[in-house]
Amino acid sequence: MHPQPAPTRPRGSRRGLDDVERAVAGYVEWYGTRRLHGELGMVPPVEFQAQFEITASAEVTAAWVLLHTLRETRALTGEPPSPLARTPTGTDGGGAGLRSPSMTVVTT
């Protein structure tokens, strides 16, 4: 997809509010989707967003697979869960979730 240049102004005056609204909507659409964006490596925003979503989705999937593989491996080998594993509500003094082995729980 090759970005299109910015819409040009038609010669002559606008005939009414509808013409102005169409012109502004066309420019906004071009500016937000097809223009080359310097901060994005001279890539149109829609192309950058599509690539970002593909990359982010792949990273999330890889992290999920790694997490579940580690959990299964620990379960099969009998290795205790990670020190930062979630604990059941109430067993860490506050029932908040993540717990570090060096954390001292103070209850009042």
Side-chain angles (χ1 to χ4, degrees), residues 13 19 37 43 55 104:
S13 63
D19 290 341
H37 195 297
V43 176
T55 303
T104 304

Side-chain angles (χ1 to χ4, degrees), residues 12-99:
S13 63
R14 306 272 183 216
R15 295 182 190 257
L17 186 57
D18 289 340
D19 290 341
V20 173
E21 287 177 347
R22 270 193 294 279
V24 170
Y27 182 80
V28 168
E29 191 273 333
W30 168 83
Y31 188 86
T33 59
R34 294 177 282 151
R35 73 184 167 104
L36 296 179
H37 195 297
E39 293 296 320
L40 303 178
M42 298 308 289
V43 176
V46 292
E47 287 182 25
F48 185 85
Q49 182 177 1
Q51 185 60 43
F52 174 80
E53 289 172 357
I54 290 168
T55 303
S57 176
E59 289 174 357
V60 167
T61 301
W64 186 88
V65 168
L66 177 62
L67 174 66
H68 288 282
T69 302
L70 288 173
R71 284 183 178 168
E72 289 174 8
T73 302
R74 287 176 186 255
L76 291 173
T77 61
E79 187 177 336
S82 166
L84 293 178
R86 288 200 174 273
T87 58
T89 302
T91 61
D92 63 354
L98 296 179
R99 180 177 179 190

